[in-house]
């Protein structure tokens, strides 16, 4: 097959006589961006532009292609930019015109290996992109008409991708760190740790206006706690895992009874608590960190004034599944 920029069409018949359609993709091939069907009226969703409606598998394939390869196809092996599209199954294969490596549209995405229609995947991403109301696996099962196992798996893979993206975007500049707690009953006596609570460290990069421009939350490991007091090593660990090397700590408020107004990120912590409670009726310690990452990912996109659905779609299109 020649390496040309103009589209060509080839057809051959395999042993089972099923036709195979092959089209050469040029470097500057433009993929039309299309969108999601209206979600059930019982759920408040972030509005999407009409041109981003993803109501067919074809529209979803075009959109996924664009999210995965914004500048056009790139071979994962040799980085060549020409490919042949082989359409013999539900999702196309792309064969590199140079090294002949074949890659699926969903390879290297959270959808890899899934038999669930792309329309349902993007419906789930849209629901998880809503900053005001989350989605549980039980609710998603009902909305998408899938099994609970499938709904849980979809949310788990999207959430893991958002968690990974958050972990890979450390805090920069001047950072304020303070402690907080999750799991404490509302009317529990102050200044006394509840046995079911989880101690948190919350960091916020300050904007020029002195407000949070980016946040990160970490459930403090038990090894860094002593009678619910936070060891200094916990802050060192937080800096190592959640901050750029050249970022500076402008303020660190821990282990002392500071007024809530002194903790600049407390409104966001309270928002996370409400979101966990109303969506999931509480989160256990085992999975809390992943949900904290998900919340921070969505909140940081909002603080940066980035389109949440498009950004989460791109994260999902460039992150391999984990479990």
């Amino acid at each position: 097959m020649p390496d040309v920029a103009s589209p060509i069409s080839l057809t051959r018949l395999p042993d089972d006589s099923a036709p195979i359609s092959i089209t050469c993709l040029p470097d500057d091939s433009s993929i039309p961006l299309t969108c999601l069907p209206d979600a059930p009226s019982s759920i408040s969703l972030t509005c999407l532009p009409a041109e981003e409606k993803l109501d067919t598998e074809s529209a979803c394939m075009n959109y996924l292609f664009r999210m995965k390869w914004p500048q056009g196809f790139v071979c994962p092996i040799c980085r060549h930019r020409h490919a042949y599209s082989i359409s013999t199954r539900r999702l196309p294969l792309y064969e590199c015109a140079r090294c002949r490596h074949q890659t699926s549209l969903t390879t290297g995405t959270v959808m890899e290996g899934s038999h669930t229609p792309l329309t349902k995947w993007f419906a789930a991403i849209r629901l998880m992109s809503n900053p005001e109301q989350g989605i549980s696996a039980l609710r998603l099962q009902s909305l998408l008409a899938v099994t609970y196992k499938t709904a849980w798996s979809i949310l788990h893979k999207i959430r893991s991708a958002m968690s990974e993206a958050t972990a890979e975007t450390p805090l920069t500049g001047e950072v304020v760190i303070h402690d907080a707690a999750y799991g404490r009953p509302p009317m529990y006596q102050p200044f006394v740790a509840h046995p079911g609570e989880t101690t948190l460290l919350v960091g916020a990069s300050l904007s020029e206006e002195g407000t949070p421009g980016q946040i990160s939350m970490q459930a403090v490991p038990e090894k860094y706690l002593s009678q619910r007091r936070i060891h200094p090593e916990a802050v060192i660990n937080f800096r190592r895992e959640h901050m750029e090397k050249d970022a500076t700590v402008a303020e660190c408020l821990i282990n002392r009874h500071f007024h809530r107004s002194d903790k600049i990120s407390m409104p966001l912590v309270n928002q996370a608590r409400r979101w966990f409670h109303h969506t999931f009726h509480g989160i256990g310690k085992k999975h809390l960190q992943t949900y904290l990452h998900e919340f921070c990912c969505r909140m940081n996109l909002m603080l940066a004034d980035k389109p949440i659905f498009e950004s989460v779609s791109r994260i999902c299109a460039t992150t391999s599944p984990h479990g």
Side-chain angles (χ1 to χ4, degrees):
M1 296 180 186
D3 183 11
V4 294
S6 58
I8 62 171
S9 179
L10 301 178
T11 303
R12 68 176 177 83
L13 294 179
D15 293 340
D16 58 3
S17 297
I20 295 181
S21 174
I22 304 179
T23 303
C24 182
L25 298 179
D27 281 345
D28 58 351
S29 58
S30 61
I31 306 291
L33 196 59
T34 47
C35 172
L36 264 171
D38 292 335
S41 58
S42 60
I43 288 189
S44 172
L45 295 176
T46 304
C47 292
L48 295 176
E51 66 270 16
E52 291 187 359
K53 193 169 184 181
L54 301 172
D55 54 358
T56 66
E57 284 295 285
S58 177
C60 288
M61 284 188 282
N62 289 339
Y63 188 67
L64 179 57
F65 185 101
R66 187 162 180 162
M67 292 296 101
K68 183 175 181 176
W69 294 306
Q71 306 302 321
F73 174 84
V74 178
C75 176
I77 302 300
C78 70
R79 314 306 295 173
H80 192 59
R81 301 185 63 85
H82 289 268
Y84 303 99
S85 175
I86 306 175
S87 304
T88 58
R89 48 189 201 173
R90 183 174 70 92
L91 297 175
L93 283 175
Y94 297 94
E95 180 177 306
C96 176
R98 174 186 289 168
C99 71
R100 305 304 180 191
H101 174 76
Q102 292 184 351
T103 184
S104 167
L105 182 62
T106 57
T107 299
T109 76
V110 298
M111 299 93 162
E112 183 175 340
S114 172
H115 298 290
T116 303
L118 295 180
T119 51
K120 295 188 177 185
W121 271 100
F122 280 109
I125 292 173
R126 184 183 183 186
L127 290 164
M128 289 191 72
S129 300
N130 179 18
E132 299 177 359
Q133 184 176 356
I135 183 74
S136 66
L138 192 62
R139 184 66 174 138
L140 189 68
Q141 174 190 10
S142 174
L143 292 174
L144 298 189
V146 296
T147 65
Y148 179 84
K149 181 179 179 181
T150 296
W152 184 91
S153 177
I154 288 174
L155 293 182
H156 173 70
K157 290 177 180 179
I158 298 172
R159 184 171 293 117
S160 295
M162 295 174 71
S163 177
E164 187 173 318
T166 301
E168 293 176 353
T169 311
L171 302 175
T172 60
E174 291 191 344
V175 177
V176 171
I177 299 174
H178 67 77
D179 55 5
Y182 173 75
R184 173 193 289 269
M187 302 304 294
Y188 196 72
Q189 53 187 317
F191 311 133
V192 177
H194 185 270
E197 75 179 42
T198 300
T199 303
L200 307 178
L201 279 179
V202 182
S205 292
L206 299 179
S207 66
E208 293 181 357
E209 294 76 24
T211 59
Q214 180 186 353
I215 64 168
S216 187
M217 301 183 189
Q218 181 187 55
V220 180
E222 289 293 331
K223 65 180 180 180
Y224 295 131
L225 297 173
S226 177
Q227 296 181 343
R228 312 315 299 174
R229 289 183 63 82
I230 302 173
H231 294 177
E233 291 83 357
V235 178
I236 296 173
N237 179 65
F238 183 90
R239 294 186 63 174
R240 181 171 56 249
E241 294 187 2
H242 298 272
M243 295 172 57
E244 288 278 11
K245 290 183 178 180
D246 57 353
T248 60
V249 177
E251 193 172 52
C252 185
L253 309 178
I254 63 171
N255 292 335
R256 289 163 59 189
H257 303 312
F258 296 98
H259 192 274
R260 289 190 175 201
S261 62
D262 294 327
K263 299 180 178 181
I264 193 171
S265 301
M266 278 308 296
L268 300 179
V269 174
N270 292 333
Q271 187 173 339
R273 288 170 178 159
R274 290 191 296 270
W275 181 71
F276 291 154
H277 176 72
H278 291 303
T279 304
F280 309 105
H281 307 294
I283 302 295
K285 291 185 177 182
K286 180 179 179 181
H287 302 291
L288 178 59
Q289 187 60 63
T290 300
Y291 286 83
L292 288 171
H293 277 325
E294 179 197 346
F295 176 84
C296 290
C297 178
R298 189 167 39 247
M299 182 57 62
N300 287 336
L301 291 172
M302 292 180 62
L303 291 172
D305 198 26
K306 293 182 179 180
I308 301 179
F309 173 74
E310 179 181 333
S311 299
V312 175
S313 294
R314 181 163 285 113
I315 290 171
C316 291
T318 54
T319 306
S320 298
H322 301 282

